[in-house]
Amino acid sequence: DSGVTQTPKHLITATGQRVTLRCSPRSGDLSVYWYQQSLDQGLQFLIQYYNGEERAKGNILERFSAQQFPDLHSELNLSSLELGDSALYFCASSVAARDTQYFGPGTRLTVL
Amino acid sequence: DQQVKQNSPSLSVQEGRISILNCDYTNSMFDYFLWYKKYPAEGPTFLISISSIKDKNEDGRFTVFLNKSAKHLSLHIVPSQPGDSAVYFCAASGDNYGQNFVFGPGTRLSVLP
């Protein structure tokens, strides 16, 4: 158990819909990262927050957004969903930048 | 453009033998590298790291070697055990890349009993 929690575990929705994925980092970790893993692909970095502020953006679509709240949990919002958005979405946390990242179990999103 | 490459999508090794997983990178500014292991239906878990000031780091059965001139690192698992069967990701980071790690596509290791 990494100490990072993600909810929900599974999510099935339809094209055009909007969903919110939630992540609670390990106690004491200030950095939160979001990754997307499509079928048999590597981990694609989406976005990073540090203590509530956006620190870095990767290959994140404009239809996607994220935020980190004062209690340090983070949410990833995916809107106007397309079939190609079906993937595993991982959240990771670390104490500080470039520290080891600890990953949550992921949310499997299926868009029908 | 893939900055971190793991050219072997899969590898099979006999139990008790050595597993060698390879990773190549293109960005010479990368100076910190990690290996993660991922089981199905779980998130990746950290295995071992190496900084560019070293060329070797060891932790139990796991050793990572870094060849900076070749921009190559490898993970050695000795002896391999069936429980090591998983997907292994190499990740790299550098000051010029902000605070992010770039992950390779992964290598699926199967350790056969």
Side-chain angles (χ1 to χ4, degrees):
Chain A
D1 183 0
S2 66
V4 178
T5 59
Q6 288 187 249
T7 56
K9 198 163 180 157
H10 300 279
L11 199 47
I12 301 174
T13 188
T15 54
Q17 295 298 305
R18 172 190 165 97
V19 297
T20 298
L21 313 184
R22 183 188 167 102
C23 167
S24 292
R26 290 187 325 155
S27 176
D29 285 358
L30 298 178
S31 263
V32 170
Y33 307 78
W34 286 97
Y35 293 88
Q36 179 193 57
Q37 185 184 23
S38 300
L39 203 64
D40 284 336
Q41 300 284 314
L43 292 160
Q44 297 295 319
F45 168 71
L46 295 178
I47 197 164
Q48 181 214 358
Y49 279 82
Y50 179 82
N51 203 20
E53 290 186 10
E54 181 185 305
R55 276 296 173 92
K57 257 184 174 175
N59 300 323
I60 188 165
L61 300 171
E62 284 192 17
R63 301 183 284 109
F64 296 0
S65 65
Q67 53 184 327
Q68 185 179 28
F69 295 87
D71 66 352
L72 301 178
H73 91 271
S74 177
E75 291 180 358
L76 179 67
N77 300 296
L78 315 176
S79 62
S80 302
L81 284 167
E82 302 175 0
L83 295 177
D85 298 327
S86 296
L88 265 171
Y89 291 85
F90 289 103
C91 166
S93 73
S94 66
V95 174
R98 300 186 71 191
D99 278 341
T100 299
Q101 295 178 24
Y102 294 86
F103 283 77
T107 293
R108 181 173 293 281
L109 173 67
T110 302
V111 182
L112 301 174
Chain B
D1 178 30
Q2 235 179 16
Q3 296 195 65
V4 178
K5 302 175 188 182
Q6 294 177 257
N7 291 322
S8 298
S10 62
L11 175 69
S12 291
V13 169
Q14 210 67 37
E15 181 179 3
R17 307 293 292 266
I18 183 171
S19 294
I20 300 177
L21 296 104
N22 294 306
C23 176
D24 296 289
Y25 59 95
T26 58
N27 190 335
S28 58
M29 299 302 290
F30 285 149
D31 62 0
Y32 186 55
F33 306 88
L34 297 88
W35 283 93
Y36 281 85
K37 177 169 77 172
K38 184 182 180 305
Y39 292 118
E42 294 183 15
T45 54
F46 169 73
L47 259 183
I48 193 168
S49 64
I50 189 165
S51 159
S52 61
I53 62 172
K54 296 174 126 183
D55 54 19
K56 177 182 172 181
N57 191 24
E58 207 168 338
D59 184 1
R61 297 186 297 114
F62 301 92
T63 303
V64 56
F65 296 91
L66 175 62
N67 182 334
K68 290 185 288 292
S69 59
K71 297 194 188 70
H72 175 84
L73 61 156
S74 60
L75 174 68
H76 292 213
I77 307 174
V78 184
S80 301
Q81 299 173 355
D84 296 329
S85 297
V87 177
Y88 289 79
F89 292 99
C90 166
S93 174
D95 275 341
N96 73 321
Y97 211 76
Q99 299 165 24
N100 308 312
F101 284 93
V102 181
F103 281 77
T107 295
R108 183 179 301 278
L109 173 67
S110 300
V111 180
L112 310 171

